[in-house]
Amino acid sequence: MGFFSKISDGLNRSRDKFKESMNVLLDRGPDVDEEFWDELEETLILSDFGAPAADAIVEELRDEATRKALPDAYAVLDLLAEKIADQFIEVDGSIFDDEAVVLFVGVNGSGKTTTVGKLAAEAHSKGRKVLLGSADTFRAAAIEQLEVWADRADVEIVSRERGADPASVCYETLERAEKNGSDLVLIDTAGRLHTSDDLMRELKKVVDVVRKRSELPVYTLLVIDATTGQNGLQQAREFNKALDLDGIIVTKLDGTAKGGISVAIAHELELPLYKIGVGESVDDLQDFDALDFANALIGELRDAG
């Protein structure tokens, strides 16, 4: 299955939800009047794009419709995927292609540990010298799960017993990476409730230790479960405020109709989206491409009405 087919299949629930709303909009006819713009913005908001992103998309479409004298609603909607893609931050290449230390943060259940394992397997298959750090020392299951992934991917892992100081695990991981010449270090951290100031301060300590100690560039990525919808946006706000994030990974897009939340997060926080999860297998953690994502999210709208 090709790249776009995987993305498209993974987003089928979100696309079905979006096209249901578009059916209602297009049933009113092809006129591009004030009611059309209001209903289009409402459709985007109901599809979890969030009000700020929806407003920006509609305003960009309005401007282009006026400049190009677009004849009807279908001509306007032909440009929708492009305007959705414009809400995402462009990046040159992927941090996973360079020498780097990457910290993965997020709430419990977001898919952090699985994401780290999949990335390790992918990088190792490309000949990278990968080292994993198991700094989620609050859950024995997380340590065991990452050890299984390390064994499966044939990469080294630094782990300690449950209850060990996560900052010291990170420190040891970085020392091992320097000794071994590892060029990609992936560190799993404990799930943190974004509503707990104490827990977020503890996580900030871990992140600060890594940023100060590492000789390689350090990136902190938030892993978000797409099924949480607007709560995922709130998570992103709080984690970004506490940790000054470098980017986002959105998981479990195949299990939800709330794929539009990716647009809301990228637009509001102005953070790049590096990977998206559209299934359970290693190959289903895909590089993010804004236009492919937008096209898969909305589908073919000329046959929606």
Side-chain angles (χ1 to χ4, degrees), residues 61-289:
L61 284 170
R62 272 181 182 267
D63 290 345
E64 192 146 353
T66 300
R67 284 189 291 106
K68 294 184 176 180
L70 298 179
D72 57 28
Y74 288 106
V76 172
L77 295 176
D78 281 342
L79 302 174
L80 181 57
E82 177 188 325
K83 301 308 176 188
I84 291 173
D86 286 346
Q87 307 312 306
F88 293 97
I89 305 301
E90 285 189 36
V91 290
D92 292 328
S94 170
I95 58 176
F96 301 108
D97 294 332
D98 300 322
E99 293 188 353
V101 174
V102 188
L103 282 154
F104 296 82
V105 301
V107 303
N108 279 329
S110 61
K112 289 190 312 304
T113 305
T114 300
T115 295
V116 174
K118 289 180 178 180
L119 287 166
E122 178 187 25
H124 179 73
S125 72
K126 294 178 179 178
R128 304 293 301 279
K129 189 158 188 179
V130 184
L131 178 65
L132 300 185
S134 182
D136 182 354
T137 57
F138 288 88
R139 294 188 307 126
I143 299 170
E144 294 167 3
Q145 185 183 4
L146 198 60
E147 287 174 342
V148 169
W149 272 108
D151 184 61
R152 187 183 302 171
D154 192 25
V155 301
E156 190 176 356
I157 182 171
V158 174
S159 61
R160 289 190 188 168
E161 70 284 353
R162 181 179 180 274
D165 176 33
S168 68
V169 176
C170 291
Y171 197 92
E172 182 181 337
T173 301
L174 296 174
E175 286 194 325
R176 183 83 60 85
E178 289 173 13
K179 181 180 178 181
N180 295 351
S182 303
D183 57 21
L184 183 63
V185 182
L186 308 176
I187 300 178
D188 186 23
T189 68
R192 287 289 189 263
L193 283 173
H194 56 290
T195 52
S196 170
D197 291 339
D198 289 343
L199 292 177
M200 291 299 282
R201 276 194 293 271
E202 287 181 22
L203 183 57
K204 186 176 188 305
K205 173 190 169 187
V206 172
V207 172
D208 287 345
V209 164
V210 174
R211 286 174 174 165
K212 290 175 183 176
R213 176 64 181 81
S214 176
E215 294 186 357
L216 296 177
V218 176
Y219 302 92
T220 305
L221 300 188
L222 175 64
V223 181
I224 292 180
D225 176 351
T227 64
T228 60
Q230 291 298 314
N231 188 44
L233 175 57
Q234 185 59 31
Q235 291 173 29
R237 289 174 182 142
E238 296 301 323
F239 274 93
N240 191 45
K241 184 166 67 174
L243 305 176
D244 191 20
L245 298 170
D246 296 296
I248 303 287
I249 292 175
V250 178
T251 63
K252 308 180 187 180
L253 279 162
D254 56 311
T256 182
K258 299 176 180 178
I261 194 61
S262 306
V263 185
I265 293 169
H267 175 85
E268 179 171 329
L269 299 184
E270 298 183 345
L271 288 170
L273 206 170
Y274 283 103
K275 294 276 188 176
I276 55 174
V278 292
E280 294 298 322
S281 75
V282 171
D283 293 340
D284 290 330
L285 185 64
Q286 295 279 333
D287 288 333
F288 179 75
D289 180 279

Side-chain angles (χ1 to χ4, degrees), residues 19-62:
K19 293 184 84 167
E20 282 179 19
S21 299
M22 292 306 299
N23 281 334
V24 176
L25 173 60
L26 293 171
D27 279 348
R28 59 180 292 282
D31 293 343
V32 181
D33 51 20
E34 200 60 35
E35 185 180 356
F36 166 80
W37 295 116
D38 289 344
E39 291 190 15
L40 176 57
E41 184 166 353
E42 182 180 353
T43 295
L44 295 174
I45 292 172
L46 291 175
S47 298
D48 293 287
F49 283 55
D55 179 67
I57 291 166
V58 168
E59 286 307 306
E60 289 176 22
L61 284 170
R62 272 181 182 267

